[in-house]
Amino acid sequence: MHPSHPIDVVKTRLQVSGDGGRDYKSLGIGGTVRVVAAEEGVTAFWKGIPAAWMREASYTSLRLGLYSPIKTAMGVDNDSPFIMKFLAGSSAGALGSLVGNPFDVLKTRMMTAEGKEPPSFTQAASGLYNQQGMGGFYRGLEANIMRAMVLNGTKMACYDQIKGAITSSGAVPAGIPTQFCSAFGAGFFMASAVAPFDMVRTKLMNQPPDAKIYSGFVDCFMKIIGNGGPGALYQGFIPIWARFAPTTCLQLVIFEQVKPIFGISG
């Protein structure tokens, strides 16, 4: 999480472009990096890192840890159809998202805060509560749950499916090489599927406290397309993929190593 956080900051700045702040979209990835570094300092690329750590500790732990138990409860095994694996992954993602949403909101707001002195985690949390109450921590919940369901369903189902195909073919040595290749492939499909949902979620979570630009997921989705065409839903895709590729490989390979320690099967 820590090394890939700057990519997340750049991605988020690109996604909120046009919402009353700087037009990062016209700057592109390189221009955004240069402007943020020059005006806010290199440390700006780690804005929101405390909230990101809390998000990973809650959301990511649950969506990975609950996948195997949910598969078992649903009677899903390696030979089950792809859709059943997707449903198990989606369910785990939705539950994790419910717990992690407050930290997601704080992370998004902290990453988009311009200036050399961004609010601390405590300041961001108290400011959000004072301005919007508890409801503020659940802004964008609908979009975030849908994003988590698509993300985790695609990630875990594709991982299982690719790993099964590689294992059957014998094209790659068993163990970590197979796990790495499976995770890399799953990360690409996950990034492709989740980008539109990530865009909508970021827009909803970053709405100013004194204004409601979007009434909900559908309204935000349609306004993004209306203003920038279907391609606007994939704004920030390259940073998304650049972040997902290494984190997905690390998460799933490490997860495979610790599963036997905790007696997790599947």
Side-chain angles (χ1 to χ4, degrees), residues 16-76:
V16 301
S17 180
D19 285 351
R22 186 190 295 273
D23 184 11
Y24 291 102
K25 181 181 178 181
S26 64
L27 294 173
I29 296 173
T32 298
V33 171
R34 286 192 297 273
V35 167
V36 172
E39 296 185 0
E40 302 175 45
V42 176
T43 56
F45 293 107
W46 278 269
K47 285 183 176 180
I49 193 69
W53 285 334
M54 295 298 292
R55 175 184 180 271
E56 293 301 306
S58 54
Y59 162 65
T60 300
S61 298
L62 287 171
R63 69 181 172 87
L64 289 178
L66 291 175
Y67 179 59
S68 291
I70 291 175
K71 277 175 63 180
T72 301
M74 293 175 60
V76 177

Side-chain angles (χ1 to χ4, degrees), residues 113-129:
E114 298 177 333
K116 290 190 174 182
E117 296 183 7
S120 66
F121 179 83
T122 304
Q123 290 172 330
S126 61
L128 180 61
Y129 179 78

